Amino acid sequence: MPLLREKLKAPLLPLSVVARPRLNDHFVLNDRVRLLVVQAPSGYGKTTLLAERLPALEQEAAWLRFDQRDNQPVRFLTYWREALNTLLEAPYVLSPMTDDADCVEQLERWLGELPEQRSACRLVVDEFEHLTHPDILAGVAHWLRHQPLWLTLTVASRSHPALGLASLRLRGELEEIDLQGLAFDSEEAQTLCAEQLSFPPTRVSLERALRRSGGWIMALNWLVERTTTRAGFDALVERLNGSHPDFVAWFDELLAAALPPEERELILQLGVLERFSPELMARLLEGERLTQRLEAFAQAGLFIERPDPHAQWFRFQRLFGEYLRHRRHELSLATQRALHQRASHAWLALNDPIMALRQAILSEDLDDVSSLIVTQGPVLIGRGAYALLAQGFTLLGEPRLSMDPKLTLLYGWVSHAQFQFDVATRVIGWIEAQLSAQEWQALHSEFATLRAQLAINQGNAELAAPLAEQALAQPARYLASTPLTATAILSEARFVLGYLEESLQRVREVERQARQRNDHQLLLWSYCHQSETLVAQGRLQAAYDIQERAFAHIERAELEHLPIAEFLYRIRSQVLWEWHRLDEAEQAALNGIAVLDNQGERWTLQCHIQLAKIAQSRGDQAQCADHIRRLRKILAEGDYHIDWVANAHATLLAWWQSTNDRDAIERWRQEAPAPLTEHATNHFSQCNVRNHARALTLLGHYAEARELLNTLEEQTQRLGLITDANRNQICLAAVAWHEGSTEQAAQHLQKALALASRTALVGSFLRLGKPLGELLGQLNTSGQLNSLEQARAERLLALASRQKEFGSARRLMLDETVIADIVARPDVPELIRTSPLTRREWQILGLIHAGLSNEQIAEQLSVAPTTIKTHIRSLYQKQNIRRRDEAIALAGQLLAHIQGE
C-alpha cells in the first residue's frame, strides 16, 4: 500500500504563530504519563499547539495524521508501523505486518519488538476522531496498557477518544488539554493582534473579543483578518456573534456533517438553555436516552463545555449557543414558547429564579413574567439582576407596572440602579398619587427608602436623611432588606455632608447586620463605602485592606457576577493608580468592565475613566485618545451622579491639557456643573470645584483659580478631607508655578509632600507634569524636607523622569510600503530578498537598532518576551546572523535607506 509521506510529518507552522508556554506543564515526559489528550472542537489550535510546543521543548516526536479512509485496520496498522519506525534504529525496526493478525495481536507483536530503553519521546496521532473502528480502538487501548515507559502517546482529537480515559485518569496516567485550556487567554490574544495587525486594539476591545469568542482561536483569527483599523476592530467585535452569517454557515456545515436530522432538532430544543444538566433536560424535553444522546453530542466534537469537571452541568460554547438560539426559528412559535415556559418552571423548581425569569421573558407570557417578578422580586434585587428585571418591565409596560405597588417599587429600584433617574422620579410620582390606598400604604417603609435613595443620588442629603428615618420607623412588609438599606442611606448622607467618622460608624453597623442576614449586596456595598470614606480621610492603605476583605468574600461566596463587584474593582483601580501601580490598576478596571459587559456600556463609565488615566500616565496617546472617545460617548448618553461626572471631567481636562486644546477647556467651563464651594463637603464636590480651578489655571485666570482652591481648603480643614487637601495643595502649586512664583509653588508642594506621608499619593503628583521635576529639585536642595518627605520626593523625581509625554514614545516607522521600497533597492543584501523578513521581524530589527532589550521590545510591541525571542531566532537564521551587534549593523545599513542616505 503506497503511503502519503505528508501524513507522517509534523505540519508546517504559519509564519506568525503564538507561543503557548503556559501549557508546558501538560507536556512533561515522565514514566507516569502514558497518554496526553488534546481534545476540542475544530478551530482551537490543537495541531498548531503540538507542532509549536514540541520543538520549543526539544521533545522528539513521530507524527501520524489520519483521515476518514484510514478507519480500516490494515491502513491504520500500516501507517502506525511507519510512524514508529521513524523513532527506531536497527535492529529495532518493526517487522512487516502479518496477514491474518487482528489489531490487538499485531500491536502486541510490535510492542515485543520495541527496545526496553530509549530516550523519552512521543508518538503524535492527529485527527484521532476519524478512528472509530472497534478493532482499531481496542488495539490502541491495548497498546496504551503495555507501551514502553519511554513513549508517550499524544492524541489530538475533536471528540473524546474511546481509549479507557476514565481508568487512566484515576491512575494518574493521563494528561488532558481541553477546550477551556486551549482557548486563548489575554496575553495570547494580545500577541496574536500584535503579530497580525499594524495597530494595537485597546485592552477593552480585546478583552471583550475574548469574552464574546470564548477564546476560540478561529473566531479571533476571523476578527484579525477582517480589520485594518482600531475603529474597524471595535465595530467587528460588536458584531462577533453566533448569528453572524459567517458563523451560521460554518455551524450549519458542522451540524450537517455531525448529526442526523432527528438529533439536530433535539440540539435546537436544548439551545433554549444557557446551561443544562441531565435533570434539567428530563424536565424540559421529551424523549428517551437523553443523557446518552447528550454524550453523543460531545463525542461528535460539538461545542459543549463542562465548566466544572466535578459537576453534571454543561453549557454550549458562547458562539455556538448564540447560533442555536438564532436557528430556533426552525421550530414552530408554539414549540418555542412551550419550551421556554417549561424551562422557566424547571429552573424555578431548581431554585434559580434568575434563569426562570429569563425563560419566562422569552416565552412572552405576561402573566408568568408578572407573577415571577412579584414573588421572586426580593431575591432578584438581592442578586443584582437589574438588567434582567428591566427586560421584564419593558415587556409588561408602564401602565401595568403603575397599577401594582410591588411592581412599582421594583421598577423604581431598577430604574435607579440603571441611572434612569427621570424614570425613578416618575415612579415616585405614581407612589405619591396612590399612597393613601391601603395596599400601597402597606409598603410605606419601602417607598420611603426608595425616595431617600433617589434624593441621595440627586445630591440632596438633607432630604434623604429624614426619609430614611421614616423608613426605619415603619415595618418592612415586602423587601426584608429595607431597614438595612435605610441605615446605609443614612450612612451615605453623613458621608455626603462631610461627617466621615459618623458615616464610618453607621456603615460598620450595616456591615455587621448584612453579615448576619447573609445579604451579599449590602455587605459588599458596606466594604466599598468604608473604602471610599477611608480614602477621603487619607488612609489609602486602610482602604486597600478593606478592599482585600471584600475580594476575599467575593471569591468565597462566588459573587463575581454581581454588579456591585464592578464598584469594588473600580475603587481598587483608583487606589492602585494613585500608587502608580499601573498594570494592576488597568487589570482591575478591565475586570470591572467584564462584570458589566452584558449590562450595557453606560455602566462602565468609571472604569473607562480609569483606563484613560492609566494610558495617559504611560504616555500612550493613541490608547488614551480611544478611551477618551469612549468615555465622552458614554457620558453624553447618560445622566450620572456628580461623583461620576466630576471624575470624568478631571480626566478630560488632563487630556485637553496634554493636547493643548484651550478651546475645549473654555467650552467645558461654560457647560460644567457650577463650582459650589459651600457644598464641597465630599470628594466629588471638591473634585468638581478643583476641576474649575484647574481649567482657570490652564486659561490663565490664576487669581480666580487660587480663590476657589483656598475656599476648598477651608472645607477640608473643617471636615478632615485629607486626600482632597493633598490634591488641592498640588493644584495650588500649579497655580503659583504658572504665575511665575516658584517659591510659593514650592511651599505648596512641600505641604502636599507632608500630607502624602499619610495619603501616599503618587498619581496626583505626576499629573503636575513638567513643574513637578523643577519644584522637587528646588525642594531637595533647600534642606527643608524631613527624611520621609525627602524619600517621597526622590521617588517622585525618579518616576517623573521616566514619565512619557505624548509624542515621546517610540513609533514604529516600518510599514509595508517602506519595507517594499527597501527590498526593491539594488544595493540591498541578497539574503533580504531570498529570505524575506516578516513585517514583525522588520519592526524588531528596527527596535534592536534603537538599542532596546528583548524585554523592552516586548513591552513596546505588547507581546510576551518569549515571542520576541522566537522572532529574533527566526530573523538571525534567515540572515545568517549570530550576534546582536551584527543585527544592529544590518539594521543600520537598511534603515539608512529610509533617510535616503
Side-chain angles (χ1 to χ4, degrees), residues 198 811-828 832-833 837-839 842-843 845-846 891 893-901:
S198 58
R811 295 286 174 258
L812 298 174
M813 50 198 268
L814 293 174
D815 61 19
E816 280 76 1
T817 304
V818 173
I819 294 168
D821 179 60
I822 293 175
V823 173
R825 292 172 182 264
D827 53 346
V828 165
I832 287 289
R833 278 189 284 269
L837 303 181
T838 65
R839 180 183 62 83
W842 274 101
Q843 291 173 338
L845 189 62
Q893 176 189 347
L894 296 174
L895 296 177
H897 294 299
I898 298 174
Q899 286 83 25
E901 297 175 8

Side-chain angles (χ1 to χ4, degrees), residues 438-747:
Q438 185 175 356
E439 60 177 344
W440 289 74
Q441 187 65 38
L443 301 184
H444 187 279
S445 177
E446 283 90 339
F447 289 143
T449 305
L450 175 62
R451 295 167 68 195
Q453 185 64 70
L454 185 62
I456 276 286
N457 275 86
Q458 292 173 335
N460 194 342
E462 292 85 353
L463 174 61
L467 284 169
E469 297 283 6
Q470 281 183 39
L472 289 169
Q474 298 282 337
R477 293 188 170 89
Y478 179 51
L479 293 178
S481 61
T482 294
L484 200 51
T485 305
T487 305
I489 291 169
L490 283 173
S491 168
E492 198 168 354
R494 302 311 288 166
F495 174 84
V496 169
L497 294 172
Y499 302 112
L500 302 183
E501 278 302 322
E502 184 183 342
S503 177
L504 266 181
Q505 291 173 11
R506 288 183 181 273
V507 79
R508 284 169 180 156
E509 177 61 19
V510 173
E511 178 193 347
R512 187 187 65 80
Q513 292 186 36
R515 194 181 299 281
Q516 286 180 347
R517 294 173 48 84
N518 206 29
D519 189 322
H520 298 302
Q521 286 265 74
L522 280 169
L523 179 59
L524 290 173
W525 177 88
S526 74
Y527 286 136
C528 293
H529 187 72
Q530 286 180 71
S531 175
E532 286 205 307
T533 308
L534 290 165
V535 167
Q537 291 180 324
R539 299 158 63 188
L540 271 70
Q541 184 60 56
Y544 183 91
D545 294 341
I546 284 285
Q547 292 170 13
E548 285 290 278
R549 289 169 58 190
F551 280 118
H553 182 74
I554 280 179
E555 184 176 354
R556 188 167 52 249
E558 299 180 346
L559 304 173
E560 295 85 353
H561 62 284
L562 285 183
I564 189 72
E566 181 273 338
F567 188 2
L568 181 59
Y569 281 120
R570 175 209 320 160
I571 58 177
R572 167 54 62 90
S573 180
Q574 290 168 354
V575 170
L576 291 169
W577 177 82
E578 271 297 3
W579 290 347
H580 202 66
R581 289 161 58 176
L582 300 182
D583 290 348
E584 295 169 80
E586 180 183 50
Q587 191 57 58
L590 290 168
N591 289 345
I593 291 173
V595 170
L596 300 179
D597 193 41
N598 294 326
Q599 312 273 355
E601 198 172 48
R602 65 197 306 265
W603 288 45
T604 62
L605 174 63
Q606 288 272 50
C607 291
H608 282 288
I609 293 169
Q610 283 302 113
L611 293 172
K613 289 163 63 177
I614 292 160
Q616 188 168 39
S617 296
R618 289 172 171 161
D620 191 334
Q621 186 172 19
Q623 292 276 354
C624 188
D626 189 82
H627 293 310
I628 290 290
R629 173 184 59 79
R630 224 180 258 261
L631 80 84
R632 293 185 71 178
K633 172 178 172 289
I634 299 170
L635 197 62
E637 293 174 352
D639 179 17
Y640 298 100
H641 187 274
I642 183 62
D643 183 7
W644 292 41
V645 172
N647 195 13
H649 288 175
T651 302
L652 289 172
L653 285 166
W655 167 255
W656 292 326
Q657 179 183 0
S658 65
T659 55
N660 198 28
D661 192 344
R662 292 169 61 90
D663 291 341
I665 296 170
E666 185 60 62
R667 286 196 301 273
W668 175 85
R669 279 191 65 215
Q670 310 305 319
E671 301 168 1
L676 304 175
T677 53
E678 66 274 16
H679 296 301
T681 56
N682 48 67
H683 70 273
F684 39 87
S685 297
Q686 286 262 329
C687 181
N688 182 53
V689 177
R690 196 160 50 243
N691 286 341
H692 280 271
R694 288 175 66 197
L696 289 165
T697 302
L698 295 171
L699 294 171
H701 307 308
Y702 305 124
E704 294 176 63
R706 190 185 311 103
E707 183 181 353
L708 281 178
L709 291 167
N710 286 333
T711 307
L712 281 186
E713 279 297 82
E714 294 174 11
Q715 296 278 35
T716 62
Q717 296 299 318
R718 180 173 68 87
L719 298 169
L721 302 173
I722 302 301
T723 296
D724 282 301
N726 204 161
R727 289 169 177 154
N728 292 340
Q729 288 297 329
I730 293 170
C731 285
L732 282 165
V735 173
W737 188 86
H738 281 288
E739 281 185 307
S741 178
T742 55
E743 184 176 346
Q744 189 178 10
Q747 291 173 4

